[in-house]
Amino acid sequence: MVKTKKAQFREASNPEDMPAAMLDWYDRHARTLPWRVSPEDRARGVVPDPYRVWLSEVMLQQTTVATVKAYFERFTARWPRVTDLAAEPQEEVLKEWAGLGYYARARNLHKCAQTVAADHGGAFPDTETALLELPGIGAYTAAAIASIAFDRRATVLDGNVERVMARLFAIKDPLPQSKKQLYAAADTLTPDLRPGDYAQAVMDLGATVCTPRKPACGICPLMPMCAGRQAGIAETLPRKTPKKAKPTRYGIAWVATREDGAVLLNRRPQTGLLGGMMEVPGSDWIEGIVPADTAGAPLDGPWDDAGEARHTFTHFHLILSVRRGRFAMNAEPERGKWVHRKAALAEALPTVMKKALKAGGVG
Ligand code: SF4
């Protein structure tokens, strides 16, 4: 007869037992992350650095842990304290950020560092309310910093926690409408004891056990109380209202090279999409209409057709018609500046601009 192995961890049969079961599980299974203080160290009295917690949380918005790790190491090696980051020109921060996408985050990150340095003496405030006042910090990030960095009771609700709550309580209403319900569920479970470790425990459970597909219920400490599992619908939760199809915008990118190989680049305005980043000079991006070739080339042609560069942003697809032109040494562009080819390729350009350069034969 095959003996069923008794679970080697504490399990929760009801909501009252859930926080203790989660903390017990976390003490054994916490992920090792460069910005995290392990539960053993935390128990020994090591306190997390709010700067590192904040930086990781901002980077992790819309980006995976695997991608963030290298960026986090680079940022903290170059700027070990929030005051170091604040003292740096925004351009340098954007350069280090290149490739992480969602560049408004980088601009807000820099603004936030400057506010903490100037208005808070270089120390992050330690309450959710005060954290919410800082640039780029929304409800989730404020709760995460308050709980993880300062061990304050705060209800942290990211995608992982939403999934765990939807399944535990079999919440069938779809996201985003069910957010309040999910928040209320998460709030009732959040303990006063070790709230920082608890928040990270639920996030880790969602990332490693209660995964979007094929949750590993057999090794989950919450299985006895999981209504979604009992109803056989766990994997279908959380339900989501179908997203509207993304519109497509069209634009032109002019890849201009000079006789000596220099490439014409331009800095985008500070505000708006890819604000403050370098770009291949281009037209406006218009929904549903391909702009006319006369829509503002930086130099008088001739321009050759060099195909397309396609990219997808959060809210739209972009199709750029790429034009290629070669110019004499005395060519004076209407906007932008000539950048040595090597420097242009080393420039921290947004991915869409790298694609345009490549289509234009630079890359
Ligand atoms: Fe998720 Fe399964 Fe655990 Fe329920 S029992 S919380 S569905 S892993």
Side-chain angles (χ1 to χ4, degrees):
M1 192 176 87
V2 181
K3 273 194 185 171
T4 316
K5 213 172 162 195
K6 183 88 188 99
Q8 295 297 303
F9 44 76
R10 188 169 178 161
E11 291 182 320
S13 310
N14 57 59
E16 290 76 56
D17 297 338
M18 187 273 193
M22 281 313 306
L23 286 167
D24 185 54
W25 177 85
Y26 183 68
D27 288 342
R28 297 153 194 251
H29 300 290
R31 285 179 293 174
T32 303
L33 300 169
W35 46 87
R36 174 176 283 176
V37 172
S38 71
E40 303 85 51
D41 285 346
R42 198 76 185 88
R44 274 199 289 272
V46 179
V47 178
D49 177 353
Y51 168 57
R52 292 169 70 86
V53 174
W54 162 75
L55 185 62
S56 65
E57 286 300 337
V58 175
M59 287 182 165
L60 285 164
Q61 291 162 17
Q62 322 274 357
T63 313
T64 63
V65 166
T67 305
V68 165
K69 277 181 183 171
Y71 282 87
F72 180 83
E73 303 280 14
R74 278 214 308 276
F75 264 70
T76 49
R78 184 165 173 188
W79 301 301
R81 292 163 306 178
V82 68
T83 44
D84 302 322
L85 184 62
E88 199 71 23
Q90 188 197 68
E91 235 176 278
E92 288 302 309
V93 178
L94 288 174
K95 268 189 194 169
E96 282 294 3
W97 191 271
L100 266 180
Y102 304 94
Y103 294 92
R105 278 190 298 166
R107 291 195 299 277
N108 277 328
L109 182 92
H110 190 237
K111 262 192 234 156
C112 182
Q114 291 185 321
T115 308
V116 171
D119 300 349
H120 298 273
F124 277 84
D126 65 357
T127 62
E128 257 182 291
T129 323
L131 284 160
L132 267 172
E133 298 287 313
L134 295 172
I137 296 193
Y140 162 75
T141 312
I145 301 171
S147 75
I148 299 170
F150 299 110
D151 220 16
R152 288 189 177 274
R153 187 191 178 284
T155 302
V156 179
L157 190 72
D158 71 349
N160 283 318
V161 182
E162 281 174 356
R163 184 165 60 255
V164 174
M165 293 304 136
R167 290 173 175 178
L168 272 187
F169 295 100
I171 294 172
K172 298 188 202 89
D173 291 346
L175 277 165
Q177 294 87 331
S178 59
K179 261 197 193 286
K180 270 192 183 159
Q181 233 180 318
L182 294 168
Y183 183 92
D187 192 39
T188 56
L189 295 172
T190 304
D192 293 321
L193 182 74
R194 299 175 61 193
D197 280 350
Y198 169 82
Q200 294 174 95
V202 186
M203 289 194 262
D204 277 18
L205 189 85
T208 62
V209 175
C210 193
T211 45
R213 280 190 219 128
K214 297 197 188 332
C217 303
I219 56 165
C220 176
L222 309 182
M223 190 168 77
M225 65 169 280
C226 182
R229 155 109 186 149
Q230 280 150 26
I233 55 169
E235 205 175 336
T236 69
L237 301 175
R239 294 188 180 149
K240 290 181 185 162
T241 303
K243 283 185 189 154
K244 275 197 218 148
K246 287 182 191 188
T248 300
R249 294 185 193 173
Y250 297 87
I252 300 177
W254 285 281
V255 177
T257 51
R258 207 170 52 179
E259 278 171 350
D260 61 348
V263 181
L264 187 65
L265 294 180
N266 183 48
R267 188 166 297 286
R268 290 177 67 84
Q270 282 299 318
T271 51
L273 192 66
L274 307 179
M277 303 293 291
M278 292 301 276
E279 68 169 0
V280 173
S283 68
D284 287 341
W285 300 341
I286 306 167
E287 200 171 310
I289 308 167
V290 183
D293 258 20
T294 47
L299 286 152
D300 287 335
W303 294 96
D304 297 330
D305 183 356
E308 282 178 358
R310 291 170 177 248
H311 192 72
T312 294
F313 292 95
T314 328
H315 300 298
F316 64 95
H317 301 292
L318 176 67
I319 300 178
L320 288 177
S321 302
V322 181
R323 306 280 184 266
R324 180 174 45 201
R326 293 198 174 82
F327 295 89
M329 288 303 287
N330 61 356
E332 291 282 352
E334 265 177 34
R335 62 184 192 281
K337 59 174 185 180
W338 293 109
V339 179
H340 192 277
R341 192 183 185 94
K342 234 179 168 179
L345 291 173
E347 184 70 53
L349 289 170
T351 309
V352 59
M353 297 303 160
K354 286 190 176 154
K355 290 180 185 173
L357 273 186
K358 204 169 175 199
V362 180

